[in-house]
Amino acid sequence: MINTWYSRINEGTENARATGKPLFLFFCSETCFYCHRMNMAVYPQQNVADLIEEEFVPVRITPDKPELFGTYAVNSVPAFIITGADGLECERRAGFLDAEALMSFCLLALGKYYHDHREIEKAQQYIERLIITYPQSVDAPEAVFLQGVYGYLISHAPACLKISLFTLAQNYPDSIWVRRSLILHYHPATINEWEVYQRQHLDYWKSQDAYLKAYFT
């Protein structure tokens, strides 16, 4: 069971700033059936509780704070958003998540959070944990893609991108991340462009640069 929920985001943000941890924002309502399922069946599981309490600052946000629903563009519950103390969003998910889906989501978000904070080796550890523990999760293909990117950023070895591409093609052949990994494999310098977009919290894959590279790859 998670015993350290904050009910005020300002207090949670202060803790996040002091500890360097990301915020885990849980948007919920007392009248929401799936929110109750999260509270009764998912959060009490030991691996879930341990991960959230150790790695995040958890904040529970209810409809009595409608301004926060507007600020974070949350239109339905349950919703889960991972942000830094600076308010910049790393990852979000909506709808009921079982324990495995929530763990996978959290590990992906942790990888992205620490990449944003230039702790690439730490980011890689969370991504590798996701791949090993939840290889069938919806987040696994993106995690394999990021494993290649982070490995390249750490070692500058193009082989990291090649391994990532082959793993995606073999295990997740229908995933969009295969095509994106192929682009990086043939154009490693694209990672610099991708990182610029990441730091600005923009989607590189919707840019004209990405479109042109995909077209000529």
Side-chain angles (χ1 to χ4, degrees):
M1 180 68 69
I2 300 171
N3 298 310
T4 56
W5 285 106
Y6 283 88
S7 59
R8 297 181 179 179
I9 195 168
N10 290 343
E11 294 177 355
T13 300
E14 289 177 8
N15 185 304
R17 189 172 291 114
T19 61
K21 295 179 180 180
L23 290 149
F24 177 96
L25 306 182
F26 175 45
F27 289 81
C28 57
S29 169
E30 290 185 359
T31 61
C32 167
F33 171 77
Y34 288 108
C35 298
H36 281 291
R37 281 192 65 189
M38 293 299 304
N39 290 325
M40 300 302 294
V42 180
Y43 291 134
Q45 296 193 37
Q46 195 63 51
N47 60 339
V48 173
D50 287 346
L51 181 68
I52 292 178
E53 288 202 313
E54 291 171 7
E55 303 289 352
F56 297 95
V57 177
V59 182
R60 191 190 304 271
I61 300 174
T62 55
D64 63 341
K65 303 177 183 67
E67 69 282 0
L68 292 178
F69 278 70
T71 297
Y72 289 95
V74 173
N75 299 313
S76 62
V77 293
F80 315 84
I81 299 179
I82 309 301
T83 77
D86 54 8
L88 293 178
E89 182 178 321
C90 297
E91 194 74 6
R92 74 163 58 204
R93 203 64 50 86
F96 175 77
L97 300 178
D98 63 20
E100 289 194 0
L102 182 60
M103 290 286 288
S104 172
F105 163 75
C106 286
L107 291 170
L108 181 68
L110 285 165
K112 292 182 176 182
Y113 173 80
Y114 285 106
H115 167 247
D116 288 348
H117 287 74
R118 317 306 297 164
E119 297 183 53
I120 309 299
E121 292 184 2
K122 192 170 184 178
Q124 183 76 303
Q125 292 172 8
Y126 291 111
I127 292 302
E128 290 178 350
R129 180 176 169 187
L130 191 166
I131 294 167
I132 292 169
T133 311
Y134 306 105
Q136 302 305 316
S137 71
V138 67
D139 301 304
E142 184 177 2
V144 173
F145 171 85
L146 292 175
Q147 183 182 41
V149 172
Y150 296 165
Y152 179 83
L153 291 173
I154 293 168
S155 67
H156 304 289
C160 295
L161 301 175
K162 183 177 182 180
I163 293 170
S164 177
L165 171 61
F166 285 176
T167 301
L168 282 164
Q170 180 176 3
N171 298 333
Y172 313 100
D174 298 325
S175 172
I176 191 173
W177 295 103
V178 176
R179 182 66 174 173
R180 293 173 178 179
S181 184
L182 182 67
I183 293 171
L184 297 193
H185 172 60
Y186 282 109
H187 309 282
T190 299
I191 291 178
N192 296 326
E193 300 173 7
W194 175 81
E195 279 214 293
V196 170
Y197 277 78
Q198 290 292 108
R199 285 194 290 271
Q200 297 174 0
H201 291 265
L202 300 173
D203 187 352
Y204 172 75
W205 303 109
K206 294 180 180 180
S207 70
Q208 185 175 12
D209 290 335
Y211 173 80
L212 292 174
K213 284 190 171 62
Y215 182 82
F216 289 107
T217 299

